[in-house]
Amino acid sequence: ERVLVPRGWKKKPVVLLFTVCRPGFFKASPHSPSCSKCPPHSYTLDEASTSCLCEEHYFRRESDPPTMACTRPPSAPRSAISNVNETSVFLEWIPPADTGGRKDVSYYIACKKCNSHSGLCEACGGHVRYLPQQTGLKNTSVMMVDLLAHTNYTFEIEAVNGVSDQNPGARQFVSVNVTTNQAAPSPVSSVKKGKITKNSISLSWQEPDRPNGIILEYEIKYFEKDQETSYTIIKSKETMITADGLKPGSAYVFQIRARTAAGYGGFSRRFEFETSPVSVAASSDQSQIPIIVVSVTVGVILLAVVIGFLLSGRRCGYSKAKQDPEEEKMHFHNGHIKLPGVRTYIDPHTYEDPNQAVHEFAKEIEASCITIERVIGAGEFGEVCSGRLKLQGKREFPVAIKTLKVGYTEKQRRDFLGEASIMGQFDHPNIIHLEGVVTKSKPVMIVTEYMENGSLDTFLKKNDGQFTVIQLVGMLRGIASGMKYLSDMGYVHRDLAARNILINSNLVCKVSDFGLSRVLEDDPEAAYTTRGGKIPIRWTAPEAIAFRKFTSASDVWSYGIVMWEVMSYGERPYWEMTNQDVIKAVEEGYRLPSPMDCPAALYQLMLDCWQKDRNSRPKFDEIVSMLDKLIRNPSSLKTLVNASSRVSNLLVEHSPVGSGAYRSVGEWLEAIKMGRYTEIFMENGYSSMDAVAQVTLEDLRRLGVTLVGHQKKIMNSLQEMKVQLVNGMVPL
Ligand code: AMP
């Protein structure tokens, strides 16, 4: 600072009037006594500056004080993951590595719809809804709903802050490509009346705006106005019907809904039409096929479900004998009664001719449409290759091709194609998708979607420690969702393991390896049990090993092992223990310890999957909801399993029910993970193990133990202790 002395003041130059700032310093107000250094990322080249200029690529908002550093737009968000559920997409990401020096970072979602043939993309338009919103997102997640079915979308997640709009440079975003799945058709919106007589009303309507697939049939529900409790349902493959047998001069209400492979869409709004009072000759519509009449009468609910058919206007009878064989095939599908809207898995074994099953569930592809590129793996029946499939009118896309080696036996061919017959029945984003089969030429092939990252166990081992917990949970969520679908279809996998999960370039996991009896035979992990079966011991529930009780609940046990494999980046369950030692340890109540750095909530879920009592294990839909909750609330994943309670080279004793004497009620409840009830027990007089031994289910309810799972845990533990007491094992 220099002191400037005006002329004529030479004699008494004592008053400091003002200072002039040097370059690199500034003074916002001339009245300020001193200069300030330019804040970070700003400078001045001149003297006496009142503010500093921002360096290149740095900016200042009008509202930013001059003492604040210049800032820049944030870098792109990181590690975006997606979860697709029918026509909804959930996106989650990690904040940008560089916030640009500002605290006001928010996110913007750009949505593009891409044509799968041309690859061209366009803005999504107004039909997409964003929850909670599209712009100004403060949290690192968003949900898009009302997307179109079977459509490719690209979402760009851009991080913005207070100076992003001043940046002429490129936008910083991370993009995620997803393909939506099937969805039920949208409601029929326009219904027109046709010919009306005194006993009949003819209707016609238009296909829903968004059929989301091929419409298999329409369901028309109608009833006399104000008599809703007694209604009739007609099914029709055409977009018109005639309802007959109606009362003259009466108003009738009609509602229509469409069905595709994805199930029924919503009913249309109500349309009201009136029969004519005058006598007009009735007409019959040949296209109508009424097949179900449901009648619900007031007071007594009389549910008369008549499964049968009416051939072109002829009402069907009640008995199977009256059915036309053609129609019987449609509804008594190969001996399985197929109820509309309920999809169940059909075991290809139930087909006398396995070729019929393959052709029912898998499309035949011409070998000339397939280009094989390289060998990527070895299956039991031959090589697995990657390649490309070019179907007529579609863009070429990558596929995996499983081949059947030459010199196969008829049984090998049947078993090989059995996998396609099973896979072809599934349509879910977390189940490997079958493109089709080649059976008319050799080699016989199964063509599926291509999963760039191969099998999950190998992929995780290769990328040890590389993913965020949210990414790992996203993988687990996908697997659980696929398994929920399979269990809903009534399919039990029996060989769920990370080696049988495939993962694509978007880190979407899909369940694969479907087979008939061979499932377990081609798995190198499967070992012969004393009962002669071949079972992958480390992944299999005790009841399935002991007496071959394979159910969705035993798949849940295996899912718990897959969770453990994922959280430990592909470590081998039970390490180098022998199969016999594994069986023994599990029977004795020992369980795998928590993987390193594993969130406590996830390890608890694993332990729940490994409950000895299969009915106490969670169901796949509960697992999906629990993982969704954890993904939505990532802070719930911050509590890790306590390092000191993690036993790295030993198995942990799981719910050591009855395995020793408990010194106190608290110790017992803690041991069975019901410690939260200790206080209630003590306060209500159950302060000794003797007193506890008398507890009944009624008492538990009275104490406020209302969760059935907890009631079961406590009662089972008591039961077990009592049994052991009788045997003189537990001195209470
Ligand atoms: P599998 O006979 O199904 O066990 O397949 C053998 C191996 O081939 C797997 O472990 C994968 O590495 C690979 N593979 C199988 N199917 C696919 C696919 N759809 N995409 C990519 N790799 C696959």
Side-chain angles (χ1 to χ4, degrees):
E1 290 173 18
R2 284 178 292 150
V3 177
L4 295 189
V5 182
R7 259 181 224 152
W9 281 46
K10 265 189 184 160
K11 294 253 161 93
K12 280 187 170 179
V14 283
V15 182
L16 190 96
L17 286 181
F18 56 87
T19 55
V20 168
C21 302
R22 287 184 279 135
F25 288 81
F26 79 106
K27 195 159 68 165
S29 152
H31 308 296
S32 314
S34 60
C35 298
S36 308
K37 195 170 184 327
C38 283
H41 304 296
S42 67
Y43 66 95
T44 58
L45 298 175
D46 302 327
E47 291 190 335
S49 297
T50 55
S51 65
C52 302
L53 300 169
C54 288
E55 289 170 4
E56 198 180 2
H57 306 307
Y58 283 86
F59 309 92
R60 183 174 281 136
R61 260 177 95 81
E62 229 168 80
S63 53
D64 290 348
T67 47
M68 182 175 147
C70 288
T71 54
R72 60 179 173 177
S75 56
R78 296 168 294 161
S79 308
I81 53 160
S82 62
N83 268 314
V84 181
N85 187 0
E86 293 194 346
T87 54
S88 306
V89 174
F90 178 77
L91 293 182
E92 182 146 38
W93 57 91
I94 293 179
D98 175 12
T99 61
R102 305 187 65 91
K103 291 207 170 75
D104 55 359
V105 175
S106 66
Y107 305 96
Y108 164 76
I109 311 295
C111 171
K112 292 177 184 168
K113 200 169 74 188
C114 303
N115 184 312
S116 57
H117 302 297
S118 66
L120 294 177
C121 297
E122 56 177 338
C124 291
H127 66 273
V128 180
R129 278 195 299 137
Y130 301 79
L131 304 174
Q133 66 230 23
Q134 183 178 16
T135 57
L137 285 164
K138 287 286 174 203
N139 290 332
T140 52
S141 63
V142 68
M143 175 107 154
M144 273 72 58
V145 298
D146 294 346
L147 299 167
L148 302 177
H150 297 293
T151 305
N152 295 334
Y153 283 94
T154 297
F155 294 102
E156 294 170 354
I157 308 159
E158 185 182 353
V160 291
N161 64 16
V163 295
S164 292
D165 51 358
Q166 299 181 45
N167 180 23
R171 294 162 55 227
Q172 297 291 313
F173 59 82
V174 56
S175 69
V176 180
N177 299 328
V178 297
T179 306
T180 51
N181 306 309
Q182 63 180 7
S186 63
V188 168
S189 54
S190 120
V191 176
K192 279 202 295 222
K193 67 175 180 206
K195 187 170 172 188
I196 289 193
T197 71
K198 78 178 161 75
N199 299 115
S200 69
I201 296 175
S202 296
L203 299 178
S204 64
W205 57 89
Q206 279 181 353
E207 198 179 75
D209 296 337
R210 280 182 281 132
N212 294 332
I214 297 165
I215 294 192
L216 302 173
E217 66 184 1
Y218 292 94
E219 186 179 272
I220 303 95
K221 173 181 170 183
Y222 66 89
F223 51 89
E224 194 180 340
K225 196 178 172 191
D226 302 327
Q227 304 282 318
E228 190 166 356
T229 45
S230 178
Y231 57 84
T232 303
I233 287 178
I234 296 180
K235 305 217 174 196
S236 168
K237 293 198 187 310
E238 310 294 326
T239 53
M240 56 171 94
I241 55 126
T242 300
D244 43 26
L246 309 181
K247 285 192 210 158
S250 309
Y252 283 86
V253 175
F254 292 83
Q255 281 186 288
I256 301 173
R257 62 178 179 171
R259 181 169 76 85
T260 63
Y264 281 106
F267 266 117
S268 66
R269 70 175 177 83
R270 293 169 171 219
F271 290 87
E272 200 180 306
F273 304 110
E274 211 168 298
T275 46
S276 63
V278 281
S279 178
V280 179
S283 78
S284 144
D285 189 314
Q286 298 299 301
S287 66
Q288 145 191 356
I289 311 173
I291 57 167
I292 296 185
V293 177
V294 179
S295 184
V296 187
T297 18
V298 195
V300 188
I301 300 176
L302 173 69
L303 184 70
V305 181
V306 182
I307 302 178
F309 295 90
L310 184 74
L311 250 189
S312 305
R314 177 167 59 90
R315 272 214 195 267
C316 64
Y318 285 67
S319 78
K320 218 174 141 187
K322 279 194 182 176
Q323 286 161 8
D324 180 288
E326 258 304 288
E327 287 159 351
E328 183 178 40
K329 203 170 104 203
M330 281 167 64
H331 275 261
F332 290 85
H333 191 106
N334 201 45
H336 303 262
I337 297 175
K338 288 200 90 182
L339 295 173
V342 181
R343 292 196 56 196
T344 47
Y345 158 74
I346 297 168
D347 184 349
H349 272 134
T350 59
Y351 282 76
E352 245 171 70
D353 173 9
N355 280 319
Q356 190 200 340
V358 180
H359 289 111
E360 184 131 352
F361 300 120
K363 269 189 301 199
E364 178 74 27
I365 297 176
E366 267 187 44
S368 60
C369 303
I370 301 168
T371 317
I372 294 182
E373 285 171 346
R374 60 190 176 90
V375 177
I376 52 171
E380 194 211 353
F381 297 99
E383 284 164 342
V384 182
C385 304
S386 64
R388 306 187 74 76
L389 176 64
K390 170 81 185 82
L391 294 173
Q392 212 182 6
K394 274 195 164 180
R395 220 161 41 126
E396 195 177 52
F397 58 94
V399 286
I401 304 140
K402 282 190 180 184
T403 54
L404 177 59
K405 59 191 166 215
V406 286
Y408 54 81
T409 63
E410 189 45 40
K411 179 175 182 308
Q412 281 173 325
R413 180 181 191 272
R414 213 172 39 226
D415 288 350
F416 175 71
L417 290 173
E419 179 167 26
S421 307
I422 296 172
M423 221 191 284
Q425 297 183 46
F426 304 140
D427 180 14
H428 188 274
N430 300 104
I431 305 289
I432 192 81
H433 174 72
L434 177 73
E435 293 298 339
V437 291
V438 178
T439 63
K440 302 232 156 81
S441 61
K442 287 185 183 163
V444 175
M445 296 184 245
I446 297 177
V447 182
T448 65
E449 67 181 305
Y450 182 59
M451 301 292 284
E452 296 84 347
N453 283 319
S455 54
L456 182 60
D457 64 331
T458 318
F459 176 70
L460 288 171
K461 281 180 207 150
K462 255 196 298 201
N463 295 283
D464 194 356
Q466 299 296 303
F467 301 110
T468 63
V469 168
I470 285 282
Q471 283 176 311
L472 297 175
V473 178
M475 296 174 197
L476 291 174
R477 196 265 180 209
I479 302 166
S481 175
M483 289 307 299
K484 173 191 168 329
Y485 175 85
L486 292 182
S487 66
D488 286 349
M489 292 269 291
Y491 180 81
V492 178
H493 192 291
R494 295 172 174 231
D495 198 8
L496 179 58
R499 66 184 169 279
N500 290 331
I501 303 291
L502 292 167
I503 179 160
N504 71 13
S505 57
N506 288 328
L507 302 190
V508 175
C509 287
K510 308 203 182 199
V511 180
S512 88
D513 234 289
F514 303 102
L516 307 170
S517 52
R518 66 126 201 131
V519 162
L520 304 172
E521 264 141 45
D522 81 325
D523 188 334
E525 282 294 348
Y528 286 98
T529 64
T530 45
R531 295 179 55 139
K534 215 180 165 202
I535 288 172
I537 300 295
R538 284 153 216 271
W539 283 264
T540 305
E543 74 276 7
I545 296 176
F547 45 96
R548 298 189 73 83
K549 184 79 190 160
F550 284 97
T551 57
S552 290
S554 61
D555 277 352
V556 165
W557 177 292
S558 314
Y559 178 80
I561 304 285
V562 172
M563 287 185 75
W564 189 90
E565 291 183 276
V566 169
M567 297 315 292
S568 54
Y569 284 92
E571 195 151 352
R572 180 170 168 74
Y574 310 95
W575 304 276
E576 297 318 315
M577 279 172 73
T578 64
N579 280 340
Q580 276 319 311
D581 286 346
V582 171
I583 295 176
K584 191 158 166 281
V586 169
E587 262 313 311
E588 285 172 0
Y590 288 94
R591 298 292 182 267
L592 282 165
S594 165
M596 226 175 4
D597 298 331
C598 180
L602 291 179
Y603 183 54
Q604 185 54 53
L605 186 53
M606 292 180 210
L607 291 175
D608 289 344
C609 293
W610 302 329
Q611 296 265 3
K612 185 180 170 61
D613 169 19
R614 65 176 183 276
N615 297 314
S616 303
R617 294 173 204 155
K619 306 280 176 294
F620 279 115
D621 60 338
E622 293 168 326
I623 296 176
V624 173
S625 332
M626 188 167 296
L627 295 177
D628 276 342
K629 238 188 246 167
L630 296 176
I631 291 172
R632 274 198 299 272
N633 181 16
S635 60
S636 59
L637 293 164
K638 294 234 164 79
T639 315
L640 304 183
V641 175
N642 191 338
S644 63
S645 70
R646 242 196 97 243
V647 197
S648 59
N649 56 353
L650 283 173
L651 298 182
V652 290
E653 212 173 331
H654 175 64
S655 306
V657 171
S659 63
Y662 298 108
R663 275 165 303 179
S664 69
V665 175
E667 189 183 303
W668 163 61
L669 286 170
E670 283 296 334
I672 60 168
K673 301 220 161 46
M674 293 287 114
R676 71 198 80 180
Y677 297 117
T678 304
E679 223 167 277
I680 298 176
F681 269 69
M682 303 302 276
E683 281 167 6
N684 285 276
Y686 297 105
S687 50
S688 68
M689 290 308 286
D690 281 344
V692 161
Q694 312 303 320
V695 165
T696 64
L697 190 57
E698 238 348 274
D699 295 332
L700 285 186
R701 291 198 189 110
R702 198 168 38 76
L703 294 180
V705 184
T706 49
L707 292 174
V708 177
H710 292 182
Q711 292 171 353
K712 264 193 202 162
K713 234 182 190 168
I714 294 171
M715 292 314 290
N716 285 346
S717 166
L718 283 174
Q719 187 60 34
E720 210 157 316
M721 278 197 289
K722 280 180 198 161
V723 170
Q724 299 204 7
L725 185 63
V726 171
N727 293 336
M729 286 164 66
V730 181
L732 277 181

